[in-house]
Amino acid sequence: MDVLHVLARLFGTVVKDRKLEIPEQFGKGYVTRYIFNEQIRMMIMNYELKENMVIDNPEVNAPRNMILFKFQHIFDETEKQPAVLITTTSMNMGPVIPIHTHTSTINIEVDSNYLSALFDQSEKSPVLQSLLENTQPLFFEQVIYPSLQEIVNEIVKTGVKDPFKMFFLRIKAEELVCRLLMELEKREEKHLYALNSRDIQTLYRIKEEMLEHLDTPPVINELAVAANMSPTKLKSLFKQIFGNSIFSYYQECRMKKAAFLLKEGSLSVSDVGYQLGFTNLSHFSRVFQEHIGMKPKQYSRS
């Protein structure tokens, strides 16, 4: 029995046309799953439940040769940045699955041997090579840029009907995976650390604390103390997971927050600059243009 049917039994309902509608007494939304073949499968989850749940993982003993691409915040109409988590199977196969009250994700799982066979072995970067070998616990986060979001929207809002729907969705899923691997291939790390859940939780805690204080530039030594890591290890793990240095990541998120505030329209350019810790508005304008592509005042009017 797969996860979808375990959920259906838990909610006292049935799966129809690969889709589980959440009964009203438990919440709202849906879960749908597509098993295209032995090499690739996809699950779309967009629901709100009245309480958190935990279920036994029916696939805990399945072969661990899959790579997971987990798309997050793709349905949210909030300031949260859509992102995809890319992990080797050994990071994900726990005995239980937490079912959170608010979930909006797309999970695509692909066989690492299938993916590896599609590439010229001599041309792969160290990051791509390590991921496709799938022999150690790895974890990456990649921001979803607009062209990737367009593909996601095609999957979620597809009007394609049978007999072409499965074919269409598989092609789109593989296109997403291809584009994400192209982004990972650009990463420059020569050596990758095998990760554990504690390191990942620590790095995410540090990242969230940093994002909660976008008006204050991060101080590496202070973050390292908070993480109980050496500054060198902290910087290396942060860049390995998020694909950017701590300060560059901070500055990028700072400018995305500025863009969000400017689009809301309730604050002036100077108010936004001061709120995000800039004392020199010319400097704010220059940094904003470097990241967003236009000056703040021009952006607020666009």
Side-chain angles (χ1 to χ4, degrees):
M1 185 179 294
D2 65 17
V3 173
L4 196 60
H5 287 86
V6 170
L7 284 173
R9 189 169 63 178
L10 178 67
F11 292 133
T13 186
V14 295
V15 177
K16 295 181 181 179
D17 296 326
R18 307 183 188 90
K19 190 173 187 179
L20 165 65
E21 296 281 357
I22 305 298
E24 187 175 342
Q25 64 266 35
F26 294 99
K28 62 181 180 179
Y30 67 90
V31 183
T32 185
R33 193 183 199 204
Y34 302 94
I35 300 176
F36 301 115
N37 50 44
E38 293 182 356
Q39 287 79 39
I40 183 166
R41 58 199 182 198
M42 177 171 69
M43 180 176 286
I44 302 173
M45 293 167 281
N46 186 21
Y47 58 75
E48 292 181 25
L49 300 180
K50 295 180 179 179
E51 60 181 34
N52 289 326
M53 298 180 179
V54 174
I55 64 171
D56 293 332
N57 185 353
E59 300 178 4
V60 65
N61 295 316
R64 301 190 173 198
N65 59 337
M66 305 295 275
I67 298 172
L68 172 66
F69 300 81
K70 186 181 187 71
F71 296 79
Q72 298 186 310
H73 309 309
I74 50 174
F75 303 98
D76 300 350
E77 297 297 329
T78 70
E79 63 183 288
K80 289 184 178 180
Q81 173 67 53
V84 57
L85 311 181
I86 304 169
T87 74
T88 50
T89 310
S90 53
M91 295 295 300
N92 300 290
M93 295 297 288
V96 298
I97 301 174
I99 308 297
H100 301 295
T101 53
H102 189 176
T103 298
S104 57
T105 65
I106 293 180
N107 291 352
I108 299 175
E109 291 179 287
V110 189
D111 183 274
S112 55
N113 294 325
Y114 168 72
L115 280 179
S116 189
L118 300 176
F119 293 90
D120 183 336
Q121 297 290 328
S122 63
E123 296 296 326
K124 285 183 279 196
S125 70
V127 172
L128 197 55
Q129 182 80 43
S130 297
L131 177 67
L132 295 179
E133 285 175 354
N134 201 1
T135 57
Q136 60 178 329
L138 294 174
F139 184 102
F140 307 98
E141 180 177 305
Q142 180 66 43
V143 169
I144 297 178
Y145 45 86
S147 60
L148 271 180
Q149 183 68 52
E150 289 176 9
I151 303 171
V152 170
N153 293 343
E154 286 187 271
I155 288 174
V156 175
K157 300 174 182 178
T158 178
V160 177
K161 305 295 184 182
D162 290 333
F164 300 104
K165 185 174 182 179
M166 289 288 282
F167 184 26
F168 176 85
L169 290 174
R170 179 177 63 80
I171 290 171
K172 289 300 171 182
E174 291 194 337
E175 183 179 0
L176 278 176
V177 169
C178 179
R179 289 184 178 275
L180 286 165
L181 294 180
M182 289 166 66
E183 291 301 311
L184 282 183
E185 198 268 342
K186 297 175 185 176
R187 298 196 180 189
E188 299 174 349
E189 287 84 355
K190 303 300 181 186
H191 170 75
L192 294 179
Y193 293 89
L195 296 173
N196 57 57
S197 58
R198 184 180 61 203
D199 285 339
I200 293 171
Q201 290 170 2
T202 297
L203 267 293
Y204 268 86
R205 176 171 55 81
I206 293 297
K207 184 195 81 167
E208 292 304 320
E209 289 175 0
M210 183 172 69
L211 297 186
E212 286 176 5
H213 301 92
L214 287 174
D215 58 331
T216 306
V219 178
I220 300 298
N221 288 341
E222 293 178 1
L223 294 179
V225 170
N228 196 27
M229 295 179 183
S230 70
T232 299
K233 181 179 180 181
L234 174 64
K235 290 189 290 185
S236 297
L237 290 187
F238 192 97
K239 189 171 184 183
Q240 177 175 320
I241 291 175
F242 299 108
N244 216 337
S245 70
I246 291 174
F247 185 78
S248 294
Y249 188 91
Y250 158 80
Q251 198 74 299
E252 184 176 336
C253 291
R254 196 184 188 192
M255 291 305 100
K256 286 176 180 175
K257 177 68 172 182
F260 177 81
L261 293 173
L262 288 171
K263 278 297 183 187
E264 277 194 324
S266 58
L267 296 175
S268 67
V269 171
S270 57
D271 288 338
V272 171
Y274 292 138
Q275 182 171 315
L276 291 174
F278 287 90
T279 55
N280 184 323
L281 291 180
S282 295
H283 182 219
F284 169 55
S285 181
R286 185 169 62 253
V287 174
F288 187 92
Q289 185 171 19
E290 288 173 359
H291 285 80
I292 307 300
M294 62 180 74
K295 292 185 180 298
K297 189 167 290 187
Q298 179 187 2
Y299 182 84
S300 66
R301 294 171 178 168
S302 62

